[in-house]
Amino acid sequence: MGKDLVPPSGGDDNIHPVDLKAALEERYLAYALSTIMHRALPDVRDGLKPVHRRIIHAMSEMGIRPNSAFKKCARIVGDVIGKFHPHGDQSVYDALVRLAQDFSQRYPIVDGQGNFGNIDGDGAAAYRYTEARMTDVAALLLEGIGEDAVDFRATYNEEDEEPVVLPGAFPNLLANGASGIAVGMATSIPPHNAHELCDAALHLIKHPDATVEKLVEFIPGPDLPTGGVIIESRENILDAYKTGRGGFRVRAKWETEDLGRGGYQIVITEIPFQVQKSRLIEKIAELLIARKLPLLEDVRDESAEDVRIVLVPKNRTVDATLLMESLFRLSDLESRLPLNMNVLSLGKVPKVMALNEVLSEWLAHRKDVLVRRSRHRLAAIDRRLEILGGLLIAYLNLDEVIRIIREEDEPKQVMMARWSLTDNQAEAILNMRLRNLRKLEEFEIRKEHDDLSKEKSEIEGLLASDDKQWQTVAWEIGEVKKKYAKATEIGRRRTQFADAPDADIEAIQQAMIEKEPVTIVISQKGWIRALKGHMSDTSALTFKEGDGPKLAFPAQTTDKLLLLTTGGKAYTLGADKLPGGRGHGEPIRIMVDMENDQDILTAFVHDPSRKLLLVSTGGNGFIVAESEMIANTRKGKQIMNVSMPDEAKLAVPVTGDHVAVVGENRKLLAFPLSQVPEMSRGKGVRLQRYKDGGVVDVKCFALADGLSWSDTAGRAFTKVGEELREWLADRATVGRTVPKGFPRSGKFGG
């Protein structure tokens, strides 16, 4: 009953030692090549992968032409997997569906009837419900397949034959694009306009050495089924077509609709290629809920047949361009289409090709197809001329032919001997029906003979002349161009070109943040938090044990904060990214990479128009623009070069035309601001000279207004004009003892 599980003995002689590494390498390479050649990469000549080629060929074999009736997709899929494609039915059906989707294919190859999915990302109905037939594009791809235009090879089970490549009268690779992932390589080609491709091909026939620069004049860029706007620069597009690698930035097409009384709404009519509309709207809604789009009030999908996504701004004062720019940055309303023209050259060699190489190989294939079809037609004409010669003899000797057929045992041999007929001629006479005798008129036979002889001489002339062959190829391409001209509905260019508006990046980033007032609080030990609202009194705030207040200042959530350390480094923090005021905040050292031996010197709201005078303990200083202090990383930006024991001590806003410096030795020096250099980084120059000690305080002032300070009691002092003369000197001098009434602390603020 059961199987004998004991292995047979005596089989040791058939065991061969195999190097595992070599065996694995061999098998992996075989798998990789199989994937590259027979699955993932399209052929440069017809732009099809094997599965698509098999679908079209199966439909052709079933007689499902553009003008024939629709047939169930189940029948087509069954034929494909039964005869040509030993893969899953679902994968074949998915490929068939994509060929029929007008939002996936620029020029659909299959005409579908039923639910073939939609731009929202919904799948097609099961293949038992849907029907399909060829489109004119598929008919063009097949044109001449029965005329020995291409080679055929045995199918996977060697029961049938399939074409190695299709004749490809349509520039399908670039017109419909392709995508695929192989082993160690991939391909990604966006769709293009057929009219433009034909123009470029015709130019290439006349000028075979045409550069990519010239061809891009005819093919400015992709033409996507879903439209959109390409905002890639001309240089980048040219470079992509030259190298075969690159990409194109595509944006949704939008316009504003006036609602009256100053109100408006934004309507998106076209979305980027291969973006699911429903997922796109979900993403925008998620951003809206997360409060990352403060300029946007609502998003609605009002699409029917056409795309119509409505964006409602927060209020009528919102700038539409700014709102859209913020959406382009955060959502798939802007996407990047990759270009990787990695295709099979001559159906054998995977290669990344430039634009001119792709078109040249397609043209070479079209010429080869023309020559093969012409030779096939020539052979057919020769066969027919031979038969016509026999029929003419039969007509002229009809009575004798009838007598031989009636009386002779071997009429074929007798006729061949009597009139020197060939085997084919004799067979044609014998197989001729009686009803054809009345039509068998000498005039008709001679007319057909003359017509065919004339056609034969034309074909022979074509085969003998390279120029005539290219002229014929050009005429065929011209016919395709007429059929898919830009004047037609299917041929019109859908994707436009534009330059991205020069929107202020700062403004866009701010537009993404909801503007709210906050109070920034920094403790002595370097903990930071942002309390809601502007607090005038921060004395009630609590801190960790052993910690206390250091800095507190008002800001907005849209502001950038600059932090300056004693080591001369500047760090940038977004006010919206700071922890709230419920706890004690978070240590600044967690947010940025601060050295342990450094401390927070000061922090303030960034003002791009402001300049600061940075001063070290040792009395060196320089002016730096705040715009130069912005650090884009956690590591910060080194602004002032100091080495221990020296450290950054003061950061004073630059105003007026003079600087006053007070040292620990209670010497005051005032000198023109012009003597201090402006730098983006450095040690600075000596501001005041000391034997020992260092700087206590620095102040910028206008000489005309005088130098003012206040003491601990709050009394204000001002020295103007001549009163300041004794302290006015050049930079790097010692200065004079501070005037009477100057605070003991040595600070201008008391």
Side-chain angles (χ1 to χ4, degrees), residues 250-265:
V250 184
R251 286 184 167 183
K253 191 176 180 183
W254 61 277
E255 57 193 28
T256 57
E257 276 187 5
D258 189 13
L259 299 177
R261 298 186 179 179
Y264 74 94
Q265 63 184 20

Side-chain angles (χ1 to χ4, degrees), residues 92-201:
V92 174
Y93 183 53
D94 288 345
L96 174 66
V97 165
R98 276 194 298 277
L99 292 178
Q101 291 173 337
D102 58 1
F103 53 88
S104 296
Q105 300 281 303
R106 179 64 183 84
Y107 300 92
I109 291 169
V110 172
D111 183 10
Q113 187 170 266
N115 177 11
F116 276 80
N118 56 35
I119 201 167
D120 279 328
D122 299 327
Y127 54 45
R128 61 182 177 272
Y129 300 119
T130 55
E131 297 176 340
R133 66 181 178 190
M134 284 184 196
T135 62
D136 291 331
V137 174
L140 279 172
L141 289 172
L142 287 162
E143 197 174 81
I145 196 161
E147 300 170 19
D148 191 38
V150 291
D151 290 329
F152 279 71
R153 64 177 169 220
T155 55
Y156 69 99
N157 58 2
E158 298 187 350
E159 284 185 3
D160 213 328
E161 282 193 325
E162 62 176 345
V164 173
V165 65
L166 296 187
F170 184 78
N172 187 57
L173 179 71
L174 289 169
N176 273 323
S179 63
I181 300 169
V183 180
M185 59 181 71
T187 186
S188 181
I189 304 169
H192 292 74
N193 189 278
H195 185 130
E196 293 169 357
L197 294 171
C198 290
D199 277 341

Side-chain angles (χ1 to χ4, degrees), residues 146-148 370-385 448 451-453 455-456 459 462-463:
E147 300 170 19
D148 191 38
L370 174 69
V371 169
R372 290 185 62 152
R373 287 180 71 185
S374 299
R375 284 180 181 152
H376 178 269
R377 177 63 183 156
L378 199 60
I381 288 171
D382 283 339
R383 286 195 300 275
R384 182 62 182 161
L385 285 173
E448 189 181 351
D451 290 346
L452 289 174
S453 299
E455 190 182 345
K456 182 182 177 180
I459 293 172
L462 176 73
L463 291 171

Side-chain angles (χ1 to χ4, degrees), residues 260-398:
R261 298 186 179 179
Y264 74 94
Q265 63 184 20
I266 296 168
V267 178
I268 295 166
T269 53
E270 294 172 7
I271 60 174
F273 184 48
Q274 291 177 328
V275 170
Q276 294 181 5
K277 177 162 65 67
S278 59
R279 185 71 197 96
L280 172 68
I281 292 165
E282 279 174 29
K283 176 75 175 171
I284 296 171
E286 284 168 13
L287 291 168
L288 201 57
I289 292 164
R291 302 175 77 180
K292 290 184 178 177
L293 294 171
L295 300 181
L296 188 65
E297 178 69 34
D298 193 18
V299 56
R300 299 194 303 271
D301 186 7
E302 296 181 357
S303 307
E305 292 295 316
D306 299 323
V307 173
R308 182 179 164 87
I309 301 168
V310 178
L311 302 172
V312 182
K314 202 84 167 177
N315 52 58
R316 62 186 67 181
T317 59
V318 168
D319 184 74
T321 306
L322 202 62
L323 169 58
M324 289 308 296
E325 286 296 317
S326 63
L327 273 165
F328 288 141
R329 282 174 168 264
L330 291 174
S331 72
D332 284 339
L333 283 172
E334 181 184 311
S335 69
R336 189 174 183 275
L337 277 181
L339 175 75
N340 184 7
M341 287 204 280
N342 188 11
V343 288
L344 288 176
S345 175
L346 302 172
K348 292 175 183 168
V349 185
K351 185 179 170 187
V352 178
M353 293 187 176
L355 180 65
N356 56 341
E357 292 174 304
V358 169
L359 286 170
S360 294
E361 286 225 10
W362 177 63
L363 287 172
H365 175 60
R366 289 302 303 152
K367 187 186 170 190
D368 184 49
V369 165
L370 174 69
V371 169
R372 290 185 62 152
R373 287 180 71 185
S374 299
R375 284 180 181 152
H376 178 269
R377 177 63 183 156
L378 199 60
I381 288 171
D382 283 339
R383 286 195 300 275
R384 182 62 182 161
L385 285 173
E386 183 188 348
I387 288 166
L388 286 174
L391 293 178
L392 192 60
I393 290 168
Y395 174 77
L396 295 171
N397 303 278
L398 191 57

